[in-house]
Amino acid sequence: MTRSGKASLTIIIVILFIGGLSLFAYKNNSDSSYSSNALIPEQSITHGHGLAVDVDDPGKLYIATHEGLFVLINDKDLFRVGESTDDYMGFSPHPTDANILFSSGHPSTGGNIGFQKSDDGGFTWVKVSDGENGSVDFHAMAISPVNSKLIYGWYQGGLQRSTDQGDNWEIVNKNISPISLVADTRDENILYAATAAGQGVIISRDKGVTWTPLSPALEGGAVSVIAVDPKDSNTLLAFSQVLGGLGKTTDSGKTWRKNGEGFHGEVVIYLTFSKTNPNILYALTLGNRLYKSSNSGDTWNQIR
């Protein structure tokens, strides 16, 4: 990546983090209850805010968007899940139950959704809580794959943590500004954050209370997203300004190598592994283009 490209990544990430958070018109669903459980055909992805492979079915990819929750079936057919067109700025699936999803964001009449849950794969939603100092609008969320009761969300300068699956929240840190959060796949105490600051990726080993830089190889530039292999927590991927694109580590961040990618110069803002087959990953770019890797992120092909 050229010097101008690195500068562009910083600008893009800062826009995402500061300005872009308020660029979207709001859609309401104050009680978030819809009767339809239909899949509604969609033509394209716009304003993607989250990405997750179904925990049971690797042929289903969820995309949280400004216009509701979408699902891509077998890399081909795109649908909106149910009738909701709410803006899901935060999105995390349950680590073991494919029917349970969590989200946060904006309803259509303005304001914030708070923290909500779906028990039927995203067709209907029920508000669980307002969060701390809410109603919250979590732009970064993470659930522990080790302990599904442990959930994190970032809102208005504070990292919040719930230990009872979102019923109650506490602010555990006011000094970090994460672009994205991801929990470790083996140790419930470990949480990662991608940042726009010079620290790159930071890591907490005490459930979000204290933080240190993960790797000197990523310091000095922004990181837009980080993902952890569900079967091998030593393997992580990060889209890094310093690395000049997507990098990979297999030793918990001690060393990194830049991958042979094919994102056509775009910044990756979401990454997700398939839990059933970690060789399969998906990436969503700032331009809402969707890419797939079948070799643990070493090479990529655009699928949409």
Side-chain angles (χ1 to χ4, degrees):
M1 185 179 287
T2 65
R3 181 178 299 176
S4 61
K6 291 182 178 181
S8 296
L9 175 57
T10 301
I11 293 169
I12 287 168
I13 289 174
V14 170
I15 289 171
L16 279 171
F17 178 65
I18 300 175
L21 306 186
S22 61
L23 290 178
F24 310 113
Y26 298 157
K27 300 189 181 291
N28 182 37
N29 172 25
S30 56
D31 65 5
S32 297
S33 179
Y34 286 90
S35 60
S36 173
N37 60 354
L39 292 176
I40 302 167
E42 292 286 348
Q43 297 300 313
S44 62
I45 302 165
T46 59
H47 298 306
H49 300 318
L51 207 60
V53 180
D54 186 279
V55 296
D56 291 335
D57 183 356
K60 293 171 65 176
L61 177 70
Y62 289 106
I63 307 116
T65 82
H66 173 59
E67 293 89 10
L69 179 64
F70 287 15
V71 63
L72 184 68
I73 307 295
N74 296 326
D75 300 339
K76 181 182 178 182
D77 299 314
L78 185 67
F79 301 93
R80 181 156 48 89
V81 181
E83 296 178 355
S84 172
T85 56
D86 283 351
D87 184 1
Y88 299 130
M89 296 297 300
F91 176 72
S92 295
H94 191 283
T96 58
D97 190 332
N99 292 314
I100 299 177
L101 307 171
F102 302 98
S103 68
S104 185
H106 305 295
S108 61
T109 57
N112 299 330
I113 285 174
F115 179 76
Q116 63 179 11
K117 175 182 180 181
S118 172
D119 287 315
D120 58 6
F123 289 103
T124 62
W125 295 88
V126 174
K127 186 175 182 177
V128 177
S129 64
D130 281 332
E132 189 70 16
N133 298 329
S135 291
V136 296
D137 161 28
F138 290 140
H139 283 71
M141 280 174 50
I143 183 170
S144 170
V146 183
N147 176 7
S148 64
K149 292 185 178 181
L150 180 59
I151 303 176
Y152 301 90
W154 187 87
Y155 175 67
Q156 287 191 343
L159 178 67
Q160 300 190 22
R161 181 181 69 195
S162 172
T163 57
D164 54 12
Q165 208 167 89
D167 288 332
N168 298 281
W169 295 84
E170 60 177 331
I171 296 174
V172 295
N173 190 290
K174 291 184 178 181
N175 298 316
I176 68 167
S177 299
I179 299 170
S180 67
L181 296 165
V182 63
D184 192 79
T185 54
R186 286 291 180 268
D187 186 341
E188 71 173 87
N189 296 294
I190 295 178
L191 182 68
Y192 301 93
T195 76
Q199 292 177 307
V201 173
I202 53 177
I203 181 173
S204 172
R205 302 182 187 277
D206 55 9
K207 299 180 180 178
V209 178
T210 61
W211 295 80
T212 56
L214 172 67
S215 171
L218 303 181
E219 291 184 57
V223 172
S224 58
V225 66
I226 186 166
V228 185
D229 189 306
K231 303 296 185 183
D232 179 9
S233 60
N234 294 315
T235 298
L236 300 90
L237 279 81
F239 197 91
S240 161
Q241 181 182 10
V242 173
L243 297 177
L246 185 67
K248 183 177 184 179
T249 178
T250 56
D251 55 15
S252 300
K254 295 181 180 66
T255 60
W256 292 80
R257 63 175 174 84
K258 187 175 181 295
N259 281 17
E261 58 189 54
F263 302 123
H264 303 98
E266 286 196 85
V267 174
V268 173
I269 56 174
Y270 296 101
L271 277 171
T272 185
F273 279 89
S274 167
K275 185 174 182 179
T276 56
N277 182 1
N279 288 319
I280 296 175
L281 291 96
Y282 291 89
L284 185 68
T285 68
L286 187 63
N288 294 293
R289 292 180 176 86
L290 193 60
Y291 294 82
K292 181 180 182 179
S293 172
S294 299
N295 55 7
S296 192
D298 291 336
T299 59
W300 296 81
N301 295 304
Q302 185 176 348
I303 61 173
R304 196 168 189 91

